[in-house]
């Protein structure tokens, strides 16, 4: 009995030892796996270390989608805008090409001083008095004095991007420089002057503003192009 009892105790002790070793080994593997998994990091495109178990993949996917979406949006927006602008410009050019050029019989031209004395600039207004649309091309061809037969030079920067098409009753404007406003200038008094429209040789007599007219230095006189409105910068000269 003592021998059998001793054998049974030894067997039980051996079994307990095996189970204990197995459990310890399992815990060691789990700890090892956990330590290994937490220490494996990768560098994401943003420069932050992320876990390799899936966070990096998610970040890459998001970055890719974001970049793709942004690029696609920009390209699409740019393409659409460019296409729209091109179509609008093309339609505008076709419409103006089919519109007849304004003649002296289509418009009424008046002059008014700009700003206060000394009056160095005047503004010409050409109003479409006809019952149809017409195209006001180029700039006014102005001659102030009989002694100076050449037209007043035009300022290139004032040329509008699109042709000026006037509907019935619509006005257009042109800024005209008379002088620098200095007392030492060779100014001459002008009470009336002539204007011709591009494409029409008819001479239009325009009354100068003011009861005594305006003072003009032919060497300093300049004119702007016809525009739907006077613009800061382009019409400053």
């Amino acid at each position: 009995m003592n021998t059998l009892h001793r054998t049974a105790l030894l067997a039980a002790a051996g079994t307990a030892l095996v189970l204990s070793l197995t459990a310890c080994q399992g815990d060691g593997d789990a700890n090892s796996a956990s330590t290994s998994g937490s220490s494996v990091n990768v560098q994401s495109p943003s420069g932050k270390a992320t876990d390799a178990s899936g966070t990096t993949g998610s970040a890459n996917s998001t970055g890719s989608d974001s970049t793709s979406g942004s690029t696609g949006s920009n390209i699409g927006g740019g393409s659409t805008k460019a296409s729209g602008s091109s179509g609008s410009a093309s339609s505008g050019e076709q419409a103006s090409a089919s519109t007849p050029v304004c003649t002296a019989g289509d418009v009424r031209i008046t002059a008014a001083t700009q700003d206060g004395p000394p009056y160095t600039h005047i503004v010409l207004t050409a109003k479409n008095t006809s019952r149809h649309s017409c195209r006001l091309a180029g700039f006014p061809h102005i001659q102030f004095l009989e002694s100076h037969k050449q037209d007043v030079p035009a300022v290139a920067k004032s040329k509008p991007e699109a042709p000026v098409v006037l509907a019935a009753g619509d006005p257009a404007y042109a800024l005209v420089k008379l002088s620098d406003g200095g007392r030492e200038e060779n100014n001459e008094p002008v009470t009336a002057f002539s204007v011709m429209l591009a494409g029409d040789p008819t001479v239009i007599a325009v009354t100068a503003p003011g009861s005594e007219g305006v003072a003009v230095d032919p060497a300093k006189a300049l004119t702007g192009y016809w525009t739907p409105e006077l613009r800061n910068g382009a019409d400053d000269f």
Side-chain angles (χ1 to χ4, degrees), residues 122-142:
I122 60 174
V123 176
L124 297 184
T125 301
K127 184 177 181 180
N128 183 0
T129 56
S130 70
R131 297 182 179 180
H132 60 82
S133 297
C134 66
R135 176 165 45 94
L136 199 57
F139 53 89
H141 295 263
I142 304 170

Side-chain angles (χ1 to χ4, degrees), residues 33-72:
S34 175
T35 303
S36 175
S38 62
S39 63
V40 177
N41 294 331
V42 295
Q43 199 75 9
S44 70
S46 63
K48 296 182 179 180
T50 55
D51 186 72
S53 62
T55 306
T56 303
S58 175
N60 287 340
S61 175
T62 303
S64 175
D65 291 344
S66 176
T67 303
S68 176
S70 175
T71 304

Side-chain angles (χ1 to χ4, degrees), residues 8-207:
L9 289 176
L10 290 174
T15 302
L17 179 60
V18 171
L19 292 175
S20 177
L21 290 175
T22 302
C24 290
Q25 185 177 359
D27 291 341
D29 292 342
N31 292 334
S32 176
S34 175
T35 303
S36 175
S38 62
S39 63
V40 177
N41 294 331
V42 295
Q43 199 75 9
S44 70
S46 63
K48 296 182 179 180
T50 55
D51 186 72
S53 62
T55 306
T56 303
S58 175
N60 287 340
S61 175
T62 303
S64 175
D65 291 344
S66 176
T67 303
S68 176
S70 175
T71 304
S73 175
N74 290 339
I75 293 176
S79 176
T80 302
K81 183 176 181 181
S83 176
S85 299
S86 176
S88 176
S90 177
S91 299
E93 291 176 359
Q94 291 177 1
S96 63
S98 62
T99 304
V101 175
C102 295
T103 65
D106 296 325
V107 299
R108 179 174 178 267
I109 298 179
T110 57
T113 54
Q114 186 194 47
D115 300 328
Y119 296 107
T120 59
H121 292 74
I122 60 174
V123 176
L124 297 184
T125 301
K127 184 177 181 180
N128 183 0
T129 56
S130 70
R131 297 182 179 180
H132 60 82
S133 297
C134 66
R135 176 165 45 94
L136 199 57
F139 53 89
H141 295 263
I142 304 170
Q143 289 186 5
F144 282 115
L145 302 165
E146 289 293 330
S147 59
H148 295 80
K149 291 296 184 181
Q150 69 271 22
D151 291 345
V152 172
V155 178
K157 72 173 184 177
S158 67
K159 184 177 182 179
E161 295 182 359
V164 179
V165 176
L166 299 180
D170 283 354
Y173 307 93
L175 184 67
V176 181
K177 180 181 179 181
L178 306 177
S179 67
D180 287 337
R183 296 181 178 180
E184 303 299 325
E185 290 184 277
N186 295 319
N187 294 334
E188 298 186 40
V190 172
T191 56
F193 55 95
S194 64
V195 175
M196 290 190 297
L197 303 177
D200 185 358
T202 304
V203 177
I204 303 172
V206 180
T207 302

